[in-house]
Amino acid sequence: NKQGIPYVGLINTVGEFILPPQKHIEIKAFNEGLAPIRIDQRWGFIDTSGQIVIPAIFKKLTSFNEGLAAVLEEDKWGFINTKGEWVISTRFDKADIFQEGKAAVKQYGSWGFIDEQGRWVVQAKFRDTKRFSGGLAAVKTNDGWGYVDTQGHMVITPKYDTVYSFNEQRALVSNNQSWRFISQDGTL
């Protein structure tokens, strides 16, 4: 439009509008059949027919993954299911999506991992984390980045400056700007 405010809508695969273009909305990518939608500074979810299935009442949220989405209500994060029902109450300072049955969450200044019932599976004691991939998750300590298994055991000693998640049993890591791939047992 003339004021530079974008109009956002949704079309189907044959180019027909399912949700006509509107001002002041934002739609993110669909995942598990639902897409985050922002209406007047609040977030909810729509289905592939453009119907609002979870009202736009949240400050922030993530996409659904493994049937759950992290949502920010007031100043704490929790998790809802695809029906908009609370599964894990709001008690976290930050939260990421579920992957391999676990989600990274931050509480009292440290990161750890919870399961789909909200139980701690890896206690919150890390400076930062990355998602589980191949049964391992990168975690940051005062000594650098390393990797833990699903029980929270440190399987690759924290010593790296930069790390990526495992993909096909390999992860890219760096120390002093020297890059290399490591295997899941930490060998080069």
Side-chain angles (χ1 to χ4, degrees):
N1 70 14
K2 292 179 183 174
Q3 290 86 24
I5 298 170
Y7 282 76
V8 176
L10 194 61
I11 58 171
N12 62 19
T13 56
V14 293
E16 302 165 333
F17 280 106
I18 327 176
L19 188 64
Q22 303 170 47
K23 291 190 288 184
H24 307 295
I25 72 166
E26 179 180 349
I27 301 171
K28 299 212 178 224
F30 279 89
N31 200 36
E32 298 186 7
L34 299 175
I37 184 169
R38 182 181 52 80
I39 303 169
D40 296 326
Q41 306 305 316
R42 292 289 175 164
W43 288 91
F45 288 92
I46 57 172
D47 62 17
T48 55
S49 69
Q51 297 300 306
I52 294 176
V53 293
I54 298 173
I57 59 172
F58 302 106
K59 285 184 175 181
K60 293 182 182 179
L61 48 71
T62 67
S63 295
F64 276 96
N65 213 48
E66 298 185 9
L68 297 174
V71 295
L72 179 64
E73 186 176 69
E74 303 301 321
D75 291 326
K76 295 290 180 182
W77 288 85
F79 292 84
I80 59 172
N81 62 21
T82 55
K83 296 176 184 171
E85 302 164 332
W86 287 101
V87 176
I88 301 169
S89 64
T90 55
R91 62 181 184 266
F92 304 108
D93 302 324
K94 291 188 179 177
D96 195 8
I97 65 168
F98 273 89
Q99 191 159 306
E100 296 187 10
K102 290 156 222 44
V105 292
K106 186 176 187 179
Q107 192 173 46
Y108 308 119
S110 295
W111 286 89
F113 292 90
I114 58 169
D115 65 15
E116 287 127 338
Q117 287 75 47
R119 297 179 300 234
W120 289 102
V121 291
V122 177
Q123 291 300 312
K125 60 183 177 182
F126 301 105
R127 295 178 61 200
D128 201 358
T129 59
K130 296 188 183 289
R131 297 173 187 154
F132 269 91
S133 178
L136 298 178
V139 294
K140 187 174 188 179
T141 69
N142 290 335
D143 296 323
W145 286 92
Y147 293 84
V148 295
D149 65 15
T150 56
Q151 285 78 46
H153 301 120
M154 192 67 70
V155 295
I156 298 175
T157 305
K159 60 183 175 183
Y160 297 105
D161 300 328
T162 306
V163 297
Y164 288 89
S165 295
F166 276 88
N167 186 8
E168 298 186 20
Q169 289 97 40
R170 298 272 186 260
L172 184 61
V173 298
S174 80
N175 256 345
N176 301 321
Q177 299 184 357
S178 172
W179 291 89
R180 61 184 58 95
F181 283 98
I182 59 170
S183 64
Q184 289 183 310
D185 64 3
T187 57
L188 301 176

